[in-house]
Amino acid sequence: VRIASFDFPESQVVAELYALALRNAGIPVEVLSGLGTREVVAPALEQGQVDLVVDYAGSLLDYLGGSAAETHGQPEQVRAALLARLAGHGLTALASAPAEDVNAFAVRADFARQRQLTRLSDLRELAGRLTFGGPPECPTRRYCLQGLQQTYGLRFAEFRPQPSRGATATALESGEIDVGLLETTSGQLGEGRLTLLIDDRNLQPRENLVPVVRKEIVRRYGHRLTAPLDAVSAMLTTADLVRLNHIAAVNPVEPAEAVADYLRITRR
């Protein structure tokens, strides 16, 4: 079973966590770590070049043409809409995890205190003088710069692409950028130097983790495949994602090693 991950650390670590469950069930696994963005991974999955990816429900549903009402529903409603969209692509979605990682926008904690910033709406009068940092694809994403412009009316003075979330956090702390795209589970948030602004106009969708797998692979392995994957999803919480990301951020190691460290700490 070929498991792909996106090109950022959390996705790579999560892929290794699910891969370990399959290996423990006696299923041979190959992990294609950091394959790319959804525009790369989703077609690879549909074309059979990979077999499984642990995706983020709302963003995937949006990619497949889901409506705002669908992407912002309760987790099981989002999954039901996702199943309907995936049906024609030879794919299915297994059980969603309670764990959710939502795009979030951060500023330096001292800057937030000085300007009394708590919400994204508070940036309205400042944005034209601020530099924004995030992934290169951010200007074309509904839940990044496009959404900030359309939902909040935020137009920044400059956009500086960042190669990773870690680089975004570093650029924020150094003052290279003023606002940056991170996630609600970013390991870099544990130091207290950065502050996430509240998404007070509900731009972001529900983003529960959900394994998306080719139906052919489900037919081949059946319960041997779905049971261990569902078991991981059932136990995986947002707090677990924060711990995994913190381990990977504080002591950078290979994703599989980060999972091993996490399991040793939690004894799972």
Side-chain angles (χ1 to χ4, degrees), residues 70-182:
E70 290 175 323
T71 60
H72 287 72
Q74 293 302 308
E76 282 309 308
Q77 294 172 319
V78 175
R79 180 174 174 267
L82 187 57
L83 281 169
R85 296 276 177 176
L86 291 171
H89 299 268
L91 305 171
T92 190
L94 303 185
S96 298
E100 186 174 14
D101 180 3
V102 181
N103 279 353
F105 302 93
V107 297
R108 291 184 304 282
D110 59 348
F111 182 68
R113 286 192 297 271
Q114 291 165 6
R115 298 284 186 166
Q116 298 183 321
L117 305 176
T118 58
R119 309 169 305 162
L120 281 170
S121 293
D122 295 336
L123 292 174
R124 185 70 181 267
E125 302 302 321
L126 298 174
R129 304 191 297 275
L130 302 180
T131 299
F132 183 92
E137 65 271 18
C138 194
T140 63
R141 291 294 176 88
R142 182 191 298 189
Y143 301 123
C144 197
L145 279 178
Q146 273 192 3
L148 290 177
Q149 291 174 4
Q150 295 168 3
T151 303
Y152 286 95
L154 301 181
R155 297 184 179 276
F156 293 95
E158 182 182 356
F159 169 66
R160 292 187 184 177
Q162 304 295 316
S164 68
R165 301 298 195 268
T168 301
T170 299
L172 277 167
E173 291 174 359
S174 70
E176 178 188 340
I177 61 175
D178 302 301
V179 185
L181 174 67
L182 295 177

Side-chain angles (χ1 to χ4, degrees), residues 18-243:
Y18 281 84
L20 179 62
L22 291 185
R23 291 190 182 105
N24 288 342
I27 296 176
V29 173
E30 176 187 4
V31 178
L32 304 172
S33 188
L35 189 60
T37 64
R38 184 170 289 104
E39 286 80 1
V40 174
V41 174
L45 186 61
E46 185 173 355
Q47 294 163 14
Q49 297 170 353
V50 299
D51 301 309
L52 186 154
V53 62
V54 183
D55 212 322
Y56 298 83
S59 289
L60 177 58
L61 182 55
D62 176 70
Y63 174 82
L64 295 171
S67 67
E70 290 175 323
T71 60
H72 287 72
Q74 293 302 308
E76 282 309 308
Q77 294 172 319
V78 175
R79 180 174 174 267
L82 187 57
L83 281 169
R85 296 276 177 176
L86 291 171
H89 299 268
L91 305 171
T92 190
L94 303 185
S96 298
E100 186 174 14
D101 180 3
V102 181
N103 279 353
F105 302 93
V107 297
R108 291 184 304 282
D110 59 348
F111 182 68
R113 286 192 297 271
Q114 291 165 6
R115 298 284 186 166
Q116 298 183 321
L117 305 176
T118 58
R119 309 169 305 162
L120 281 170
S121 293
D122 295 336
L123 292 174
R124 185 70 181 267
E125 302 302 321
L126 298 174
R129 304 191 297 275
L130 302 180
T131 299
F132 183 92
E137 65 271 18
C138 194
T140 63
R141 291 294 176 88
R142 182 191 298 189
Y143 301 123
C144 197
L145 279 178
Q146 273 192 3
L148 290 177
Q149 291 174 4
Q150 295 168 3
T151 303
Y152 286 95
L154 301 181
R155 297 184 179 276
F156 293 95
E158 182 182 356
F159 169 66
R160 292 187 184 177
Q162 304 295 316
S164 68
R165 301 298 195 268
T168 301
T170 299
L172 277 167
E173 291 174 359
S174 70
E176 178 188 340
I177 61 175
D178 302 301
V179 185
L181 174 67
L182 295 177
E183 292 94 9
T184 53
T185 60
S186 291
Q188 292 84 1
L189 297 174
E191 305 300 326
R193 293 189 292 269
L194 301 177
T195 294
L196 294 182
L197 300 177
I198 297 168
D199 179 17
D200 53 304
R201 295 187 181 177
N202 297 316
L203 167 63
Q204 302 301 328
R206 298 303 296 256
E207 294 287 30
N208 298 83
L209 267 64
V210 57
V212 179
V213 59
R214 293 199 300 129
K215 290 181 178 178
E216 178 186 339
I217 296 298
V218 174
R219 287 193 294 268
R220 183 185 305 172
Y221 290 101
H223 192 66
R224 283 182 63 206
L225 177 100
T226 59
L229 295 176
D230 285 347
V232 173
S233 294
M235 69 143 194
L236 193 61
T237 67
T238 300
D240 291 319
L241 287 185
V242 174
R243 292 189 194 101

